[in-house]
Amino acid sequence: MASKKRQGKKNSGAGNPAKAAQRGRSVRKIQAELSVDALRGQYVAWVAAQVPAFSPADAAQAAEIQLDVIRTIGGEYAETARSANLFDLDPEVFGQALADFLVNLPDNVAPEPIFSTWLDFFSFAEDRGLWEGGAENLEEAREMLEDALDGFAEGDAEICALLRGTELFDAVKNFAVAIGDGIDISDFSEFSNAARAKVFAAMGIDPQEIDPDEPAPLMFNYIWNAAMMSVAETNENSIVRDEEAFAEFLDGEEADSAQLLFEMAVACVQAHLNPTMESSLRDEAHYLVVRNLLVTASTGRDGDLEGLRRNVGAKIYDSVLPEATEAMASLARFGLLQRAGEAYSIDERLVPVISAGISEVEAFFEEAV
């Protein structure tokens, strides 16, 4: 890589890997990355042989995606293990490098493909006679990856069963069924109005009580948000059902189904935290009060509501408190909170759902500043 040298300084780093390592990537990390780059031709051919249905372009794309993962984590492993040889891995050090990578994985990226990618890479190394380490090390690394995949599969099946048992799931399913072949939101003909009435009824809302000149009922906002983030989408002027997503939503215990159901629940929490998706002081106060109540439900410790009242202003606080209290009751009715009298708690398996919803709305208000 070309770079400018400082005047009067020899071997300041440019062109000298030993010096460059002090400023960023280590020599071993660079070597590991280059060794992965050198495998691209072989790996594409191997992928093509594993999946005959792939076109050459498909095989190249799949190989590229997997090798990018191997390159990134392999580089981190090389730096930690002080060895650039990815065909003679220390399973323990490899496990630590993998764990460190997963900690920083974005919430919207599923970890399962990363484990599968490494299992494929090990099979490639074995098939091509490239593996140099002992058979025991290879078996240990494989078992670690397979155990992790099994654990995720169990977790996915559990979250699917849990969320499909909620009132929210039933409401979103009813909404998706009711929109049928789609509803044109720009068409106010008698036919379209009848279709809209059918959707409202499926959501448990009396169409006769809907005033087109007034904001939509909160119940509509909650279900709409959850559906649009999971099983429905816009197509020009129409709201349509995403058939592939809906099939995963209804049946399946794998990562794709779990992710859809998770997104459904997170979107519902978001809508309760900020039903209008506006950024006025009153909207933010509503968010802060509901968040405080959710934190109390999660920890079991009362939040500082009086301090919050002082911070947002007594008048605004007093006006949003009844709405925030009703939002908590609504979340409980949807099955995302547990309620005993006036006390709320959160199933530990749903804590990530609540946390993700809070984070999304918090980011919204931060960006609105």
Side-chain angles (χ1 to χ4, degrees):
M1 185 189 304
S3 61
K4 294 181 180 179
K5 293 184 180 180
R6 296 179 185 173
Q7 292 296 324
K9 291 274 190 177
K10 292 185 178 180
N11 294 329
S12 63
N16 185 331
K19 295 289 184 179
Q22 298 172 11
R23 300 203 314 267
R25 298 179 301 160
S26 71
V27 177
R28 292 184 180 88
K29 184 173 184 177
I30 294 170
Q31 289 173 336
E33 291 170 349
L34 291 174
S35 72
V36 173
D37 291 340
L39 293 170
R40 291 187 187 276
Q42 291 186 66
Y43 198 75
V44 170
W46 183 82
V47 169
Q50 305 308 304
V51 190
F54 272 178
S55 67
D58 291 337
Q61 184 180 34
E64 188 73 24
I65 292 170
Q66 288 198 322
L67 286 178
D68 282 348
V69 172
I70 301 299
R71 189 178 189 273
T72 301
I73 299 174
E76 297 300 323
Y77 165 83
E79 199 160 40
T80 304
R82 298 182 177 276
S83 169
N85 188 354
L86 301 183
F87 297 120
D88 186 11
L89 292 171
D90 179 317
E92 185 174 342
V93 179
F94 170 65
Q96 184 57 53
L98 187 59
D100 292 342
F101 177 81
L102 293 172
V103 165
N104 297 310
L105 200 64
D107 291 339
N108 62 340
V109 178
E112 292 93 324
I114 295 168
F115 299 119
S116 299
T117 290
W118 274 99
L119 285 170
D120 286 346
F121 183 73
F122 290 149
S123 294
F124 159 76
E126 193 173 34
D127 290 350
R128 294 298 174 106
L130 299 173
W131 184 256
E132 299 172 9
E136 289 184 3
N137 279 0
L138 180 60
E139 186 61 27
E140 185 177 343
R142 276 177 164 159
E143 285 183 1
M144 176 181 65
L145 295 167
E146 289 166 352
D147 288 347
L149 279 174
D150 288 343
F152 277 107
E154 291 174 4
D156 289 339
E158 186 174 20
I159 199 69
C160 285
L162 179 64
L163 289 175
R164 285 193 181 116
T166 63
E167 291 293 327
L168 175 61
F169 173 81
D170 291 337
V172 171
K173 180 179 71 174
N174 291 341
F175 172 87
V177 170
I179 62 176
D181 295 329
I183 294 181
D184 188 339
I185 57 177
S186 65
D187 180 3
F188 293 94
S189 66
E190 185 176 344
F191 177 81
S192 288
N193 286 337
R196 268 190 279 272
K198 179 181 176 183
V199 172
F200 282 124
M203 299 166 83
I205 300 170
D206 185 350
Q208 300 300 319
E209 296 181 1
I210 301 297
D211 184 343
D213 297 323
E214 294 293 327
L218 288 177
M219 176 69 77
F220 176 85
N221 288 350
Y222 300 151
I223 300 171
W224 168 273
N225 214 44
M228 293 305 294
M229 287 299 292
S230 54
V231 298
E233 59 186 355
T234 55
N235 183 4
E236 295 182 351
N237 292 327
S238 295
I239 304 300
V240 299
R241 185 169 58 237
D242 182 332
E243 297 295 352
E244 184 178 350
F246 192 49
E248 292 281 0
F249 176 83
L250 290 176
D251 186 30
E253 298 180 346
E254 313 253 336
D256 288 347
S257 295
Q259 186 64 30
L260 274 172
L261 292 162
F262 181 85
E263 294 290 350
M264 169 197 75
V266 170
C268 185
V269 173
Q270 286 178 262
H272 281 79
L273 286 161
N274 186 6
T276 65
M277 287 310 289
E278 298 290 341
S279 56
S280 70
L281 290 175
R282 192 180 192 286
D283 293 314
E284 187 169 11
H286 175 91
Y287 154 67
L288 291 171
V289 175
V290 178
R291 184 186 69 174
N292 189 295
L293 295 173
L294 286 171
V295 171
T296 297
S298 176
T299 63
R301 296 190 297 273
D302 290 336
D304 184 11
L305 289 175
E306 284 303 315
L308 182 58
R309 187 172 186 268
R310 289 192 299 272
N311 289 338
V312 304
K315 184 176 181 180
I316 293 178
Y317 176 89
D318 290 344
S319 70
V320 301
L321 182 60
E323 298 168 11
T325 303
E326 176 53 33
M328 293 291 287
S330 175
L331 283 168
R333 287 193 293 271
F334 277 123
L336 300 181
L337 295 180
Q338 296 171 330
R339 183 176 184 177
E342 295 304 311
Y344 293 92
S345 60
I346 304 173
D347 186 313
E348 63 179 10
R349 295 168 296 178
L350 292 179
V351 168
V353 168
I354 303 298
S355 297
I358 291 173
S359 296
E360 291 288 341
V361 179
E362 182 177 28
F364 171 82
F365 283 112
E366 288 176 351
E367 291 169 6
V369 174

